[in-house]
Amino acid sequence: GGRSSVSNCLFESNWSDNDGNSDGPGPGRGAAIYAENVKPFTVDDCTFWTNRTRWFQSPTYGERNGTVLYSTGSTTGTVDHCIMVDNGGAADSCKGAVYVAGGRLRMANVLAARTPGSYGCYVTAGTTTLDNCTLAYNGNWGLWVAGGVVNVKDSIAWGNTGGGMSGASANYSCSQEFLSGTGNVSTDPLFVDTTYCHLQSYAGQYVGGYFSGGSWARGTQTSPLVDAGDPLSEDSLEPKPNSRVNMGVYGNTPVAAKSPAFGTILVVK
């Protein structure tokens, strides 16, 4: 219970065997963060790397869920500008870097990628919102909704072993399979690489970093997801000129792929 706020932190190589602890039998849940009945709950500008949920002694004790975050009960939370990469092990059979079992959770500008043998995000109950998220190269589905309500906007689910998104209401998003809804596409995002998952752009693409630490370079092609987000979504933080927000984790951030400039040059002699 109570409230909690976490900012600018690195969670690396943590593990959970028993509901956020490592002291006894039980299913591993929330290797980095376990949130139950926390209101409000905020996590921003954090990186989660190589965290794992594991069974203690015997697989008969139950499932392993949420290698990064397990949110349950009446928790009301926001996860903003976070990187979740390489969490879990190929043999762990866990369900999700993020596992939502109740409450309300909003994820914005989150990258959940390369979760071995598992999902980027798995939801069983409550209400979950994903805005400008990228769920990529996970070992199962990018997003799986087994229960609850999930709304997705301006997001990408691509390169996942099982599929892109299942069971969510999505708009202005890109998934491996066709999604009903407004503005959705199923097309190669043209990532710069599988590490940072920035979008390519002739006009300028960010390389060698997530939200910082990288540099700008010119691409050989431009992703169809540049300027492809919801026309009503905020885009003021993207490099100018741009016409609307990009899809994916870097949409409406200073490292969003730059929009190609079009115009006419008139020469008068």
Side-chain angles (χ1 to χ4, degrees), residues 75-159:
T75 295
T76 300
T78 300
V79 179
D80 192 13
H81 287 75
C82 288
I83 302 299
M84 307 173 180
V85 292
D86 298 321
N87 294 284
D92 288 353
S93 300
C94 64
K95 287 185 177 178
V98 175
Y99 190 100
V100 183
R104 303 180 69 89
L105 181 70
R106 179 177 183 259
M107 297 168 57
N109 296 104
V110 172
L111 172 64
R114 304 191 304 276
T115 310
S118 187
Y119 306 81
C121 181
Y122 194 100
V123 181
T124 62
T127 301
T128 304
T129 302
L130 281 73
D131 294 328
N132 280 112
C133 292
T134 296
L135 312 168
Y137 307 111
N138 296 290
N140 208 306
W141 283 74
L143 170 64
W144 185 270
V145 182
V149 176
V150 179
N151 296 303
V152 181
K153 186 176 69 171
D154 302 331
S155 295
I156 303 170
W158 197 263

Side-chain angles (χ1 to χ4, degrees), residues 17-65:
D17 281 337
N18 183 17
D19 288 5
N21 301 304
S22 58
D23 57 359
R29 295 172 178 169
I33 297 176
Y34 181 94
E36 183 174 3
N37 302 325
V38 184
K39 296 183 289 186
F41 166 68
T42 60
V43 180
D44 62 88
D45 297 299
C46 291
T47 299
F48 300 85
W49 176 267
T50 62
N51 301 284
R52 296 180 68 180
T53 52
R54 304 183 298 185
W55 274 312
F56 183 83
Q57 296 179 343
S58 169
T60 59
Y61 290 122
E63 296 176 335
R64 295 155 286 187
N65 303 324

